[in-house]
Amino acid sequence: MEYKSFIGGAWHETSDSTPNVNPSDTSDILGHAAVGGADDMARAIDAAAGAAAQWAKSTPQQRFDVLDFIGSEILARKAELGELLSREEGKTLPEGIGEAARAGQIFKFFAGETLRQTGDILASVRPGIGVDVTRSPIGVVGLITPWNFPIAIPAWKIAPALAFGNAVVLKPAELVPGCAHALADIISRSGLPEGVFNLVFGRGSVVGPELIGSKKVNAISFTGSVGTGRSIAADCGKMLKKVQLEMGGKNPMVVLDDADLDIAVDACVNGAYFSTGQRCTASSRLIVTEGIHDKFVAAVEERLNNLNVGHALRKETHIGPVVDEKQLQQDLDYVDIAAKDGGKVIGGQRLNRDTEGFFMAPALVTETTNDMRINREEVFGPVASVVRVKDYDEALAVANDTEFGLSSGICTTSLKHASHFKANAEAGMVMVNLPTAGVDYHVPFGGTKASSFGSREQGTYAAEFYTTVKTAYTLP
Ligand code: NAD
């Protein structure tokens, strides 16, 4: 399969291409993706800029029809798209199909939003004057996405961008061209005018600066690592360009003595290890009070011993591979660092399976303190650590002692502690007796501190980023 860029309504050849490897089985090459250059990006931006005015004038019904078609197609093909996702990124098949379905539902949600676009009529302080507030498209938006949710994250940026009348240039992560290509293929058949949606493959460091630096691009929505996000925000700041960043996490999960042990173990194992721990919302710091600590660690260890790590497409697999060799090495290195810093490691070794892939036993590092590197830096793999604390007050203090603020959770049967935690956890999302990962597709998503910058994604809150507000005064 050749994954070409999609520019101005046509598939676009490039001289250079790169193979796309299945992380469960490196002998399985999915295809070859175009490696675009700055000139390809410039062409895509021109195409979007040329098409933006027409799409901005489209009726809600036209936008509804396009988004509804895309959503229906994705939902009808969720099994095939989910399989592609699992083969390309390494999520298990149920997770892959679930992600594809979520992307379809996101397009359906924003199809509905096209018909619900509202404004405000406000009273003026001056006599006889009417004030009305309306939302307009921002123009051309650049969307930069990571590899770990290769269908859902592009969907939750593309759908509101189009619903609110903007033209799009998508720059997906290098590791997952197949998913981006499949999405573009569906969008290309949706009736969207040529140039309104464009996809450019290429290295972030090459095509990214062209997208961010272009005067024709009015806003950038980025999801990825904090380092890349910071430099994008700095560049956008110099140009006074609207920017939205969703970045990393070091998400705490507090387990109190009064927690239901089964619920706590389920929440922590799911939150820390499912999707191979490669989720920005992964429960990577398990903060456990003394009375339940030993029972909790023993129960998690038992669960880890019963998880099957293996080929993402096999039915019996609970945890698929890490996405590539570089990420795997980074995960293994963090386990070593944690051990050298005094942590006690359960699991965490490289695994050989009957296919050549990037497999690793889930790691639980106990006896850690919150100042160790394992508790300060995002690992982005199947690695979680345990911090033992005295009581709820210490647990909350440790939970908030991090530069990140994406998601946080608490397992408790105490309404008092759950309510206090909801109010005082420094995070954009708080979960009670649920994993820190696993969010709905129609409610606001995002964090605080170094995890997020700018307005929220998803749901009705997405209007804030993808529109600009106009206030008009009328003296009739
Ligand atoms: P990354 O920062 O390496 O890359 C993200 C995207 O940015 C890719 O498309 C990449 O090509 C592009 N890029 C790289 N350099 C660029 C540059 N100079 N200019 C413009 N674009 C550039 O991140 P990743 O490894 O793909 O993803 C993993 C990270 O994403 C983790 O830190 C994870 O926590 C984060 N993430 C956050 C969320 C969230 O919503 N908060 C969701 C998923 C992943």
Side-chain angles (χ1 to χ4, degrees):
M1 181 81 189
E2 293 270 306
Y3 305 121
K4 298 177 187 164
S5 292
F6 185 69
I7 299 173
W11 297 100
H12 190 79
E13 303 266 359
T14 46
S15 50
D16 203 3
S17 72
T18 178
N20 176 20
V21 176
N22 178 349
S24 295
D25 179 355
T26 54
S27 69
D28 178 22
I29 308 288
L30 283 83
H32 287 80
V35 181
D39 52 334
D40 299 300
M41 182 53 86
R43 264 196 287 278
I45 294 168
D46 283 345
Q54 184 197 350
W55 186 243
K57 288 198 203 101
S58 58
T59 62
Q61 187 65 52
Q62 283 170 311
R63 296 183 198 172
F64 176 91
D65 290 343
V66 164
L67 290 160
D68 188 54
F69 172 89
I70 299 168
S72 299
E73 275 286 287
I74 294 174
L75 287 170
R77 291 173 50 193
K78 67 180 183 188
E80 168 209 336
L81 292 168
E83 185 174 332
L84 167 66
L85 198 164
S86 298
R87 207 175 139 212
E88 182 169 61
E89 192 266 352
K91 280 195 177 77
T92 63
L93 192 53
E95 289 173 327
I97 294 171
E99 181 178 332
R102 178 178 173 177
Q105 284 153 341
I106 288 167
F107 276 100
K108 290 282 190 182
F109 175 87
F110 282 105
E113 286 305 286
T114 62
L115 306 180
R116 243 191 305 276
Q117 291 182 44
T118 55
D120 273 325
I121 296 176
L122 302 178
S124 170
V125 291
R126 289 171 284 164
I129 292 177
V131 179
D132 53 85
V133 181
T134 51
R135 289 187 178 275
S136 333
I138 28 181
V140 176
V141 293
L143 310 179
I144 303 175
T145 53
W147 49 264
N148 68 322
F149 283 92
I151 297 185
I153 291 181
W156 86 44
K157 295 183 192 290
I158 297 166
L162 297 179
F164 293 115
N166 302 289
V168 168
V169 179
L170 171 68
K171 207 303 284 167
E174 292 86 322
L175 287 172
V176 286
C179 288
H181 188 271
L183 203 48
D185 179 52
I186 291 172
I187 295 171
S188 75
R189 290 183 286 100
S190 66
L192 196 65
E194 282 176 10
V196 178
F197 172 81
N198 305 275
L199 160 71
V200 180
F201 291 119
R203 269 187 275 284
S205 56
V206 175
V207 294
E210 184 72 25
L211 182 63
I212 293 151
S214 169
K215 291 203 174 103
K216 295 177 188 164
V217 176
N218 306 92
I220 298 286
S221 180
F222 165 84
T223 300
S225 60
V226 177
T228 313
R230 269 190 215 283
S231 82
I232 289 176
D235 292 341
C236 287
K238 280 186 215 130
M239 302 179 74
L240 301 180
K241 186 173 287 192
K242 193 170 187 181
V243 64
Q244 174 185 59
L245 311 172
E246 288 299 343
M247 300 168 285
K250 195 71 211 174
N251 310 290
M253 172 59 96
V254 169
V255 179
L256 297 183
D257 285 354
D258 64 17
D260 178 311
L261 187 64
D262 291 339
I263 288 177
V265 171
D266 269 354
C268 292
V269 170
N270 176 324
Y273 303 109
F274 285 15
S275 301
T276 323
Q278 298 176 142
R279 297 189 282 198
C280 50
T281 47
S283 314
S284 51
R285 288 186 300 140
L286 312 178
I287 301 163
V288 186
T289 49
E290 277 169 348
I292 198 170
H293 177 278
D294 293 354
K295 265 186 292 184
F296 171 81
V297 168
V300 172
E301 186 174 358
E302 193 189 328
R303 282 287 298 279
L304 295 189
N305 289 336
N306 290 310
L307 291 179
N308 295 321
V309 178
H311 196 296
L313 292 177
R314 297 212 175 125
K315 232 182 168 164
E316 62 277 15
T317 296
H318 300 114
I319 309 236
V322 171
V323 74
D324 68 359
E325 180 68 41
K326 187 167 157 237
Q327 183 68 47
L328 174 61
Q329 198 49 55
Q330 180 176 310
D331 298 346
L332 296 169
D333 288 349
Y334 269 111
V335 172
D336 281 351
I337 291 166
K340 285 195 188 100
D341 285 347
K344 196 175 140 228
V345 178
I346 297 163
Q349 69 280 18
R350 187 171 190 152
L351 297 174
N352 292 319
R353 290 292 180 255
D354 51 4
T355 50
E356 193 73 40
F358 309 116
F359 302 110
M360 169 178 177
L364 182 70
V365 188
T366 63
E367 309 303 333
T368 72
T369 53
N370 202 45
D371 56 353
M372 290 181 184
R373 273 185 72 188
I374 192 74
N375 287 319
R376 310 300 316 169
E377 297 168 21
E378 186 184 45
V379 177
F380 219 58
V383 180
S385 50
V386 180
V387 182
R388 188 198 299 256
V389 291
K390 191 167 72 261
D391 56 15
Y392 169 74
D393 289 343
E394 189 185 352
L396 177 65
V398 170
N400 286 340
D401 177 18
T402 170
E403 68 165 308
F404 298 104
L406 190 54
S407 186
S408 64
I410 186 165
C411 292
T412 180
T413 49
S414 155
L415 186 58
K416 184 172 152 232
H417 284 139
S419 304
H420 189 271
F421 189 80
K422 280 199 276 186
N424 292 285
E426 293 168 3
M429 294 170 289
V430 184
M431 309 288 181
V432 177
N433 295 319
L434 289 166
T436 54
V439 295
D440 287 355
Y441 64 84
H442 68 300
V443 297
F445 178 95
T448 59
K449 302 202 263 187
S451 290
S452 296
F453 184 81
S455 51
R456 288 287 182 262
E457 296 203 271
Q458 294 202 140
T460 53
Y461 285 62
E464 212 45 55
F465 182 75
Y466 290 100
T467 62
T468 180
V469 166
K470 184 175 282 176
T471 308
Y473 295 81
T474 310
L475 179 65

